[in-house]
Amino acid sequence: MHANQPDLPKHNFPWPHQRRFNAYVEHIRSTFGERIQKVTLNAGFTCPNRDGKTGRGGCTYCNNEAFNPSYCTPEKSVKQQIEEGIEFHRQRYRRSTKYMAYFQAYTNTYEPLQRLKEKYEAALAHPDVVGLIIGTRPDCINAEILAYLNELQKNTYVQVEYGIESCYNETLERINRGHTFEKSIWAIEETAKAGIPAGGHLIFGLPGESREQMLAQAHVLSSLPLSILKFHQLQIVKDTAMAVDYAKNPGNYQLFEQNEYIDFVIKFVERLSPSIMIERIAGEAPPRFNRAITWGKRVFEILALFESELEARDTWQGKFYEGKKQNI
């Protein structure tokens, strides 16, 4: 809250806490009775737009090394990565005693079901792991996998996280995603029908999109049975096709400055359905990977500024939610 600002009145938000957005972390804390930390895993999978099934080269912005922890390498078993990850997090988050196995690197449903079972169940065999979060693409899910995950969640927490990135097919083609937004809609709806929480990842600032176009996505995503959303400002990461293009054509990119981004995300969440939990409002690539704007602040600092500004404006998630689908 800003200095010398009087206390603002409490609101009757449609979630059971007084944070001004539907915070995913509060839901997890309420569900498990304590903080649950993610342990990131690299199971050695690839992507259909890397191996030639859909395309080559991967998404133009993607370099997995920019977000994988040092312990997280596919040469190590799932068990070893979990044990090293738990030790890594115990030094930073000493209150955490239970963990989610987060299959993050590349596409974690892009293998035959039997191999997926081996990886997932190896993670769940660890006594401190209480659930799975599976990062994947909307074109790499099917009824067989969803049926298995439905059975699995009867005894543990299961969540599927899809890379939506944008609601605009022109953008998805430009960044070499290899799927359409219609495919994202299908995957989210099928996952929800299977009774599994569907998460989505969205990037703000992709080339070719105006601020108004990005903002309009709040209404469209609100019409889907999404449980969770993660936001990420576009960062130009080294050793990517986008970094090469940015070096040649920087004028084609309108990257967010820090305060501009906070203002934009506030406007976005004001229009977002209050039923969708927000897990993250910004991303963070290590400085050595960044080839463009750097904010000089960690993600938790950006979150604190975001929440302070929500208080200052006396606004909240869903304040201007229209409650109906709007086509783009």
Side-chain angles (χ1 to χ4, degrees):
M1 189 176 295
H2 290 187
N4 303 319
Q5 180 183 327
D7 290 339
L8 295 169
K10 287 188 176 182
H11 290 269
N12 293 319
F13 297 124
W15 45 79
H17 55 81
Q18 280 297 303
R19 296 179 78 168
R20 289 173 173 265
F21 66 100
N22 190 356
Y24 170 81
V25 67
E26 301 296 343
H27 167 73
I28 292 297
R29 185 180 286 116
S30 174
T31 299
F32 291 95
E34 61 180 299
R35 178 191 175 98
I36 305 295
Q37 185 62 43
K38 289 182 183 179
V39 176
T40 300
L41 302 174
N42 185 336
F45 301 135
T46 184
C47 290
N49 64 343
R50 286 182 176 273
D51 68 6
K53 181 177 180 180
T54 299
R56 294 284 183 185
C59 303
T60 61
Y61 56 82
C62 180
N63 179 351
N64 270 257
E65 292 182 12
F67 55 78
N68 271 344
S70 58
Y71 68 82
C72 188
T73 62
E75 292 76 22
K76 299 175 183 177
S77 68
V78 167
K79 179 182 178 182
Q80 183 179 353
Q81 289 184 58
I82 289 174
E83 290 175 348
E84 292 184 15
I86 288 175
E87 184 59 31
F88 173 82
H89 286 299
R90 276 179 179 157
Q91 297 175 23
R92 301 179 63 186
Y93 308 106
R94 297 185 180 182
R95 289 181 298 171
S96 295
T97 61
K98 298 297 180 182
Y99 300 85
M100 292 280 188
Y102 180 25
F103 288 84
Q104 180 184 29
Y106 300 111
T107 304
N108 293 281
T109 58
Y110 188 47
E111 287 286 346
L113 181 58
Q114 184 55 43
R115 183 159 187 247
L116 298 179
K117 288 182 178 181
E118 292 169 3
K119 298 289 185 178
Y120 301 160
E121 291 171 18
L124 290 171
H126 194 285
D128 294 332
V129 170
V130 295
L132 299 177
I133 301 175
I134 301 165
T136 190
R137 292 165 53 91
D139 58 346
C140 293
I141 200 74
N142 58 45
E144 184 183 35
I145 295 171
L146 289 173
Y148 165 69
L149 296 179
N150 177 273
E151 284 296 314
L152 201 60
Q153 73 166 354
K154 293 177 180 178
N155 298 305
T156 192
Y157 182 89
V158 177
Q159 173 186 322
V160 179
E161 178 180 303
Y162 293 107
I164 301 170
E165 316 312 359
S166 173
C167 297
Y168 298 99
N169 286 335
E170 288 183 3
T171 301
L172 296 174
E173 184 175 355
R174 186 180 295 117
I175 62 176
N176 196 38
R177 276 298 292 177
H179 66 78
T180 63
F181 179 57
E182 287 75 20
K183 196 66 178 179
S184 294
I185 295 173
W186 173 85
I188 291 163
E189 290 178 343
E190 291 302 306
T191 304
K193 287 177 187 176
I196 301 162
H201 184 271
L202 202 64
I203 301 176
F204 294 132
L206 289 168
E209 293 185 1
S210 68
R211 299 293 191 253
E212 292 73 21
Q213 285 176 310
M214 285 183 264
L215 199 60
Q217 296 176 111
H219 302 295
V220 177
L221 294 172
S222 292
S223 73
L224 301 178
L226 273 167
S227 296
I228 305 140
L229 272 176
K230 294 166 73 172
F231 308 135
H232 190 158
Q233 78 282 14
L234 178 65
Q235 298 174 89
I236 308 298
V237 177
K238 78 170 188 176
D239 298 331
T240 63
M242 189 171 283
V244 173
D245 183 63
Y246 178 78
K248 295 177 181 177
N249 306 292
N252 292 341
Y253 295 80
Q254 298 182 37
L255 302 175
F256 282 99
E257 297 287 354
Q258 174 189 296
N259 291 341
E260 179 191 17
Y261 183 76
I262 291 170
D263 177 71
F264 173 83
V265 175
I266 287 174
K267 291 175 180 175
F268 190 94
V269 302
E270 285 176 331
R271 291 157 175 78
L272 187 68
S273 169
S275 68
I276 298 176
M277 292 178 281
I278 297 175
E279 182 174 355
R280 189 178 71 190
I281 67 154
E284 180 183 10
R288 68 182 184 278
F289 284 94
N290 210 310
R291 291 296 178 264
I293 290 176
T294 56
W295 293 345
K297 285 186 171 61
R298 302 296 306 275
V299 167
F300 68 87
E301 294 174 301
I302 299 298
L303 176 61
L305 291 171
F306 168 73
E307 294 203 70
S308 177
E309 194 61 27
L310 288 174
E311 290 277 0
R313 300 184 190 187
D314 191 21
T315 192
W316 56 88
Q317 179 182 342
K319 184 177 183 178
F320 303 129
Y321 170 57
E322 297 182 358
K324 60 182 179 181
K325 182 174 181 178
Q326 291 192 1
N327 294 323
I328 290 181

